[in-house]
Amino acid sequence: MMSVSKTTAGKTIDIVKNLPRITLANLRPNPGATKDEKRRGRGLHGGNRSGRGHKGERQRGNRPRLGFEGGQTPFYLIIPKYGYNADHSRRPQYPPLSLRRLQYLIDLGRLDPTLPIDLTQLVNGRGVTIQPLKRDHGVQLTDEGADIFCAKVNLEVQVASEKAIAAIERNGGVITTSYYDPRSLQVLIKPVPFLMSGEPIPKRLLPGEELLPYYTDANNRGYLSDPAQVQCARASLAQKYGYRLPDISADERFEMLAQRKDPRQIFFGLSPGWVVNMADKKILKPTDDKLLRYYGS
Amino acid sequence: MAASLLSRRTGLFFGVSKLNSFIPAVVHQIANYNPRPLWLNIKNPYIPNKESEKTPDWQKTEKYDRRLFGRYGRASGIDPAKLWPSHARLEELLAEEREWHPPLEVMLGNIAAREKEKAQKRMESEKTIAANMAKMPKMIADWKKQKREVKQKQREEKIRRDKLLAEARERFGYALDPRSIKFKEMVAEIEKEEKKKRKLLKRSKREEEQGLPTATAESSQ
C-alpha cells in the first residue's frame, strides 16, 4: 500500500477513492486477534479417545452433577448455614418498584393517578408481582428514574428510599409507608378471590417490634408516625435535596391526596368486619356488640 | 380522565370519524385494565344437601358455607349471621390477640426499655473506660518506676557482686567461686566490718548532734 509520507494532505482522499473496494478478500484480522479452535478427534494425538480419558463415566459423558459425592451427604448440604446466610429464607422480601416503572405505568394508563395508588392498584395494573408465600411483605420504592419522575400521586408502599420520597414530594405527591401482615397482604393483592370466600374483612395487624421503629419514624413517612413530624420531615427533605416543597392544601386534588388508610384498614372505604358479597352486590355489616368491639379495636 | 384515555386509545385505532357511530356518548370505564370475567354460575348453583350421607364431610363445614355465600349470595340459602365467628370462636381470637399481639403502647414501651438498657450499658462501659484512661498516666508512671527500681536493684546487686568477687580475688589470689564456703565466709567478714563501721558512724553522728545542740546552747547562753 502507499505510505502516508509519499502523499500530501489533499491527495490522500483521491488515493483512497482510487483504491479497490473493500471486500472480504481485502480484509484480514490483526495478528494475534484470532486463535485456531481446538478440534477434537483429529490427528494422531487428538484422535483415539479425543481427550475423554479411558472408559467409565468420564469417557461416556455420564458424570453426576457438580457437588455429588457418590452418595455421601455432600459438603454443600452437610454444612449448616450460619452467620450472614442464617435464616435467609425467612427474611422479609420487598420486590422493587422503581420510579421509572411507576412513571411508565402511569403513562400507559395502567395506573390512575387521580385515585390513591395502593398495592392493589399496582397488582391490578400488573405493575409488580407479589408472592406472599415467598416471604414477600410488600413492595419497595427505589429511586431509579427519580430525575424523570413527574406525576402527582398518592402512593402507599411498604418501604421507600429517601430519594424516592423526595422525588414524589417534589412533584406535589404524597407517599406513605405502611405494613401489611401476610394474611392482609394476600387479601390486598387478590381481593376478588378473598371476597368470593365470604370471609369478613380481617383487621390489619400491627408490625412486630422489629419493624415498629421503621413505621413510627416520620423520615420514612411511616403510617404510625406523627403527622406534625411528617410535615417537618417534608420540609427538611426539601431543603436537603434542594427543591421547593409545593403546597398540597392549595391543590385541586387535595382531598384525594389527603386520603389515608386507618392502621387497621385493608381497603379504602371498607372497614374490617364487613362482608362484601359480589353476587348480590351488597355489603353486610355485623351488628353484634362483641364483634363490633373486636373489629373496631 | 378515564373517558379521555379511552377516547384517546380508540381514536388512534379507529380514527375520529368513526368514533361517534361506534362508541356511545358517555363511556363508563371502571378499570384501566381488562379484568378476567367472573363466571359465577348463579343460574345453577350447587348447594349440597346437609342431611344426606352421600355429601362429603368437607361440604358440611362452616368454611364451605361461607364460600357458598361468597359465590351465590342470598341464593345459597345460608344465614348471613353464620359468616362471622361465633362467640366461642371470638373468645379464642381475643385470647390469642391478647397473648400474641400486644397493643401499640406496650410494644413502644418494650422497645424504649430495650433501647434504654442498651444505652445504659454503653454509658457504663464508657464510664469505666474513661475512669481507667484517667488513671492511665499514673499507672504508666508507676509501672515505669517499678521497672526502673528493679533494674536499679539488679545493677546494684551486680556491682556489689563484682566488688565482692574482686575483693575475694585480691585476698585469695585466684578467681574464687561465689558458691564456695570460703567466699561465703569472706562475705560474712566483710559484712561484720561494714556493720561495725556503720555503728561507729552512727555513734559519732549522734555525738556530733548532741555536741552541736549543747555547743549552740552554750554559745547562745
Side-chain angles (χ1 to χ4, degrees), chain A residues 109 112 124 192 196-200 203 205 207 209 212 273 275 277 279-280 284 286 288 290-291 294-295, chain B residues 1 32-33 38 40 66-67 69-74 83-85 87 90 94 97 101 104 107 110-111 114:
Chain A
D112 192 1
N124 285 348
V192 173
M196 295 272 278
S197 71
E199 302 264 345
K203 54 178 186 180
L205 300 173
E209 286 188 8
L212 197 59
V275 173
N277 190 249
D280 291 340
L284 306 166
D288 187 44
K290 288 187 182 171
L291 280 171
Y294 171 68
Y295 284 115
Chain B
M1 181 254 172
N32 277 336
Y33 66 100
L38 206 66
L40 277 174
R66 284 198 203 107
R67 290 221 180 135
F69 188 90
R71 277 188 80 86
Y72 305 120
R74 212 159 302 189
L83 298 171
W84 284 274
H87 280 218
L90 192 62
L94 283 167
E97 204 186 300
H101 304 294
L104 190 66
M107 278 205 276
N110 288 349
I111 291 168
R114 249 185 288 139

Side-chain angles (χ1 to χ4, degrees), chain A residues 61-74:
Chain A
N62 288 328
R63 271 206 252 215
R65 64 185 179 277
L66 184 66
F68 186 68
E69 291 177 15
Q72 169 180 289
T73 312

Side-chain angles (χ1 to χ4, degrees), chain B residues 67-117:
Chain B
R67 290 221 180 135
L68 273 179
F69 188 90
R71 277 188 80 86
Y72 305 120
R74 212 159 302 189
S76 63
I78 291 169
D79 180 21
K82 293 277 187 328
L83 298 171
W84 284 274
S86 62
H87 280 218
R89 179 87 187 107
L90 192 62
E91 293 298 315
E92 283 175 29
L93 288 171
L94 283 167
E96 202 187 294
E97 204 186 300
R98 251 174 275 137
E99 171 151 14
W100 294 111
H101 304 294
L104 190 66
E105 295 82 21
V106 171
M107 278 205 276
L108 286 170
N110 288 349
I111 291 168
R114 249 185 288 139
E115 290 287 300
K116 199 171 144 193
E117 208 188 297

Side-chain angles (χ1 to χ4, degrees), chain B residues 132-146:
Chain B
N132 288 339
M133 287 307 285
K135 278 195 248 167
M136 270 315 264
K138 185 171 173 300
M139 280 164 77
I140 290 170
D142 283 344
W143 180 77
K144 281 212 167 121
K145 195 167 118 188
Q146 200 194 18

Side-chain angles (χ1 to χ4, degrees), chain B residues 15-184:
Chain B
V16 184
S17 57
K18 293 187 190 168
L19 205 66
N20 296 329
S21 51
F22 278 55
I23 291 148
V26 175
V27 176
H28 183 55
Q29 184 175 336
I30 300 163
N32 277 336
Y33 66 100
N34 195 21
R36 194 159 161 251
L38 206 66
W39 306 122
L40 277 174
N41 186 24
I42 294 173
K43 288 188 200 141
N44 306 317
Y46 169 71
I47 290 152
N49 187 359
K50 292 282 159 58
E51 279 76 47
S52 147
E53 285 169 356
K54 280 192 185 169
T55 56
D57 290 326
W58 58 272
Q59 287 183 4
K60 297 177 189 167
T61 54
E62 277 179 16
K63 195 171 169 190
Y64 189 80
D65 287 342
R66 284 198 203 107
R67 290 221 180 135
L68 273 179
F69 188 90
R71 277 188 80 86
Y72 305 120
R74 212 159 302 189
S76 63
I78 291 169
D79 180 21
K82 293 277 187 328
L83 298 171
W84 284 274
S86 62
H87 280 218
R89 179 87 187 107
L90 192 62
E91 293 298 315
E92 283 175 29
L93 288 171
L94 283 167
E96 202 187 294
E97 204 186 300
R98 251 174 275 137
E99 171 151 14
W100 294 111
H101 304 294
L104 190 66
E105 295 82 21
V106 171
M107 278 205 276
L108 286 170
N110 288 349
I111 291 168
R114 249 185 288 139
E115 290 287 300
K116 199 171 144 193
E117 208 188 297
K118 255 202 286 186
Q120 204 186 10
K121 266 202 188 137
R122 206 165 45 87
M123 284 298 288
E124 274 173 17
S125 76
E126 276 187 17
K127 268 195 199 142
T128 48
I129 288 168
N132 288 339
M133 287 307 285
K135 278 195 248 167
M136 270 315 264
K138 185 171 173 300
M139 280 164 77
I140 290 170
D142 283 344
W143 180 77
K144 281 212 167 121
K145 195 167 118 188
Q146 200 194 18
K147 287 277 162 172
R148 248 183 295 139
E149 277 171 8
V150 165
K151 274 237 176 78
Q152 187 84 1
K153 264 210 193 113
Q154 279 177 345
R155 256 181 271 145
E156 281 172 11
E157 185 66 36
K158 193 166 176 315
I159 291 167
R160 198 178 75 87
R161 260 189 291 122
D162 287 342
K163 251 203 305 197
L164 285 169
L165 265 172
E167 185 68 40
R169 175 88 178 69
E170 241 185 78
R171 282 214 196 158
F172 297 106
Y174 58 93
L176 199 55
D177 193 34
R179 289 169 283 179
S180 65
I181 308 166
K182 277 193 188 166
F183 189 81
K184 285 186 186 163

Side-chain angles (χ1 to χ4, degrees), chain A residues 191-220:
Chain A
V192 173
F194 167 74
L195 297 175
M196 295 272 278
S197 71
E199 302 264 345
I201 295 174
K203 54 178 186 180
R204 232 203 296 176
L205 300 173
L206 291 170
E209 286 188 8
E210 286 189 2
L211 289 170
L212 197 59
Y214 183 85
Y215 290 109
T216 42
D217 195 358
N219 290 326
N220 305 324

Side-chain angles (χ1 to χ4, degrees), chain A residues 99-100 103 143-150 163-164 167 170-171:
Chain A
L99 284 168
R100 188 162 152 235
Q103 185 68 55
D143 44 48
E144 184 185 348
D147 42 349
I148 51 166
F149 190 76
C150 57
K163 205 164 158 191
R170 184 175 69 143
N171 292 304

